[in-house]
Amino acid sequence: MIRGWLSRLRAQREQRIVQRRAISNELWIETMASLPFLARWSVADLEALRRLTSLFLDEKEFSGAGGLEVTDAMAVRIAVQACLPVLHLGLQPYRGFVGIVVHPDEVVARRVVTDDVGVVHHYDETLAGEAMEGGPVMLSWRDVENAGESAEWAYNVVIHEFAHVLDMADGAADGVPLLAHRAARDAWCRVIDAEYAAFCDVVDAGEDTLLDPYGAESVDEFFAVASEAFFVAPHEMRGEHPGLYALLAQYYRQDPA
Ligand SMILES: [Zn+2]
């Protein structure tokens, strides 16, 4: 009885937010046109995506860096891609952070590492995006803007960074998202560890890969690049990595191919 009452109350609250944060038809059509890979989803899924995008916009705070002003159109284009992976999972896994910082272009980050013998190394790393536990998520607008075309080579910076957020939802960036129980976690690790090892061999051999070779860096990067391909190049992804595709389809509760 109370449960029914609570869920009705929540539905009403969500409905008010969706109305307050409604995305105009014009902006929605413009956003869909800029992301042609979304044409694979059904009308019902896209309606649900539009609704979830409004809820996401209500919870998150966008800010521009380097003089960039984040317009409504930019925020919607980022939000819709961030919501795609959680279309059937809901926004709960994203609740650990609020801020999304958008830079005009890639960012050069200064890194410092100390090696095994205690020598400190300084180096620069060029980033199109970054996700840290507790946030914020950082994105390069130039990379977001090219998401329509870059889908062809299975590249999508927003999905990549939000896959990291999902990965970290259980407290560790280890290529394993929050799963219902221990057995699911074990099953996940069996598949992804084997796929990752095979992928590293192919990258080491210098062969061309559908997935970004950057995925060979670590298993958490492998999960992120596999998620990109799963959503923006699903047919190719299913053809080359059927086991990994099935694992992601089960986790995301979607089958884009
Ligand atoms: Zn990454």
Side-chain angles (χ1 to χ4, degrees):
M1 179 102 168
I2 288 185
R3 213 165 138 179
W5 177 74
L6 276 177
S7 73
R8 253 198 325 279
L9 206 67
R10 202 180 64 193
Q12 281 171 5
R13 189 182 154 265
E14 283 191 353
Q15 191 51 34
R16 277 201 302 277
I17 293 169
V18 168
Q19 280 165 357
R20 192 170 72 231
R21 289 282 187 171
I23 300 159
S24 71
N25 284 334
E26 200 188 358
L27 180 51
W28 185 251
I29 290 165
E30 181 193 314
T31 307
M32 291 296 106
S34 73
L35 303 168
F37 60 84
L38 288 175
R40 286 188 197 94
W41 276 261
S42 70
V43 173
D45 270 345
L46 292 178
E47 254 328 292
L49 185 63
R50 185 172 176 174
R51 207 185 139 78
L52 199 64
T53 301
S54 290
L55 294 169
F56 179 93
L57 290 169
D58 192 65
E59 289 182 16
K60 302 302 178 216
E61 277 168 19
F62 285 83
S63 54
L68 185 77
E69 193 198 331
V70 182
T71 63
D72 284 353
M74 290 161 80
V76 168
R77 206 188 297 187
I78 291 167
V80 81
Q81 295 176 82
C83 287
L84 186 62
V86 294
L87 184 58
H88 297 297
L89 303 176
L91 295 176
Q92 187 57 40
Y94 290 168
R95 297 244 155 93
F97 79 100
V98 171
I100 296 166
V101 181
V102 190
H103 290 259
D105 207 331
E106 290 183 326
V107 172
V108 178
R110 313 229 70 178
R111 302 291 199 215
V112 181
V113 287
T114 307
D115 68 20
D116 296 342
V117 289
V119 178
V120 178
H121 301 265
H122 295 261
Y123 65 101
D124 291 340
E125 193 180 6
T126 308
L127 303 170
E130 190 170 41
M132 283 164 285
E133 214 184 334
V137 172
M138 187 277 279
L139 297 164
S140 145
W141 176 249
R142 186 194 290 272
D143 292 74
V144 176
E145 202 173 25
N146 291 336
E149 296 117 68
S150 68
E152 237 178 84
W153 54 95
Y155 176 72
N156 186 293
V157 67
V158 179
I159 292 171
H160 182 102
E161 298 310 329
F162 281 82
H164 281 314
V165 174
L166 293 171
D167 182 357
M168 291 184 290
D170 62 355
D174 56 359
V176 190
L178 188 61
L179 297 167
H181 44 78
R182 183 69 196 264
R185 196 186 157 86
D186 292 346
W188 178 280
C189 292
R190 265 197 305 281
V191 175
I192 203 157
D193 289 348
E195 290 271 352
Y196 175 61
F199 183 71
C200 290
D201 289 345
V202 174
V203 171
D204 285 346
E207 289 172 35
D208 276 344
T209 52
L210 167 71
L211 305 183
D212 189 337
Y214 180 65
E217 287 274 314
S218 58
V219 72
D220 53 308
E221 294 301 344
F222 184 63
F223 169 58
V225 303
S227 295
E228 291 176 69
F230 178 80
F231 287 103
V232 304
H235 290 107
E236 295 85 343
M237 164 78 181
R238 190 178 59 183
E240 287 206 19
H241 300 274
L244 187 58
Y245 181 91
L247 185 77
L248 295 184
Q250 194 180 24
Y251 166 64
Y252 287 116
R253 299 184 203 154
Q254 302 192 48
D255 185 1

PDB file of all heavy atoms in Angstrom, residues 160 164 214 221, ligand 1:
ATOM      1  N   HIS A 160      32.131   6.827 -23.710  1.00  0.00           N
ATOM      2  CA  HIS A 160      33.366   6.351 -23.075  1.00  0.00           C
ATOM      3  C   HIS A 160      33.445   6.814 -21.612  1.00  0.00           C
ATOM      4  O   HIS A 160      33.644   6.001 -20.707  1.00  0.00           O
ATOM      5  CB  HIS A 160      34.583   6.865 -23.866  1.00  0.00           C
ATOM      6  CG  HIS A 160      35.891   6.396 -23.327  1.00  0.00           C
ATOM      7  ND1 HIS A 160      36.602   5.366 -23.915  1.00  0.00           N
ATOM      8  CD2 HIS A 160      36.613   6.781 -22.239  1.00  0.00           C
ATOM      9  CE1 HIS A 160      37.713   5.161 -23.209  1.00  0.00           C
ATOM     10  NE2 HIS A 160      37.739   6.011 -22.186  1.00  0.00           N
ATOM     11  N   HIS A 164      32.928   4.777 -17.846  1.00  0.00           N
ATOM     12  CA  HIS A 164      33.816   4.812 -16.669  1.00  0.00           C
ATOM     13  C   HIS A 164      33.008   5.105 -15.391  1.00  0.00           C
ATOM     14  O   HIS A 164      33.281   4.528 -14.341  1.00  0.00           O
ATOM     15  CB  HIS A 164      34.891   5.884 -16.827  1.00  0.00           C
ATOM     16  CG  HIS A 164      36.040   5.491 -17.720  1.00  0.00           C
ATOM     17  ND1 HIS A 164      36.672   4.274 -17.635  1.00  0.00           N
ATOM     18  CD2 HIS A 164      36.688   6.173 -18.707  1.00  0.00           C
ATOM     19  CE1 HIS A 164      37.649   4.219 -18.530  1.00  0.00           C
ATOM     20  NE2 HIS A 164      37.677   5.360 -19.200  1.00  0.00           N
ATOM     21  N   TYR A 214      43.436   1.924 -27.783  1.00  0.00           N
ATOM     22  CA  TYR A 214      43.637   2.491 -26.445  1.00  0.00           C
ATOM     23  C   TYR A 214      43.066   1.557 -25.376  1.00  0.00           C
ATOM     24  O   TYR A 214      43.512   1.554 -24.224  1.00  0.00           O
ATOM     25  CB  TYR A 214      42.972   3.880 -26.371  1.00  0.00           C
ATOM     26  CG  TYR A 214      43.109   4.563 -25.047  1.00  0.00           C
ATOM     27  CD1 TYR A 214      44.365   4.952 -24.564  1.00  0.00           C
ATOM     28  CD2 TYR A 214      41.994   4.828 -24.249  1.00  0.00           C
ATOM     29  CE1 TYR A 214      44.492   5.581 -23.340  1.00  0.00           C
ATOM     30  CE2 TYR A 214      42.117   5.453 -23.022  1.00  0.00           C
ATOM     31  CZ  TYR A 214      43.363   5.829 -22.572  1.00  0.00           C
ATOM     32  OH  TYR A 214      43.484   6.442 -21.355  1.00  0.00           O
ATOM     33  N   GLU A 221      39.703   0.577 -19.379  1.00  0.00           N
ATOM     34  CA  GLU A 221      39.630   1.266 -20.677  1.00  0.00           C
ATOM     35  C   GLU A 221      38.995   0.349 -21.727  1.00  0.00           C
ATOM     36  O   GLU A 221      38.265   0.804 -22.611  1.00  0.00           O
ATOM     37  CB  GLU A 221      41.018   1.723 -21.142  1.00  0.00           C
ATOM     38  CG  GLU A 221      41.652   2.801 -20.274  1.00  0.00           C
ATOM     39  CD  GLU A 221      40.826   4.090 -20.180  1.00  0.00           C
ATOM     40  OE1 GLU A 221      39.906   4.298 -20.996  1.00  0.00           O
ATOM     41  OE2 GLU A 221      41.093   4.886 -19.261  1.00  0.00           O
TER      42      GLU A 221
HETATM   43 ZN    ZN B   1      39.046   6.105 -20.580  1.00  0.00          ZN
END
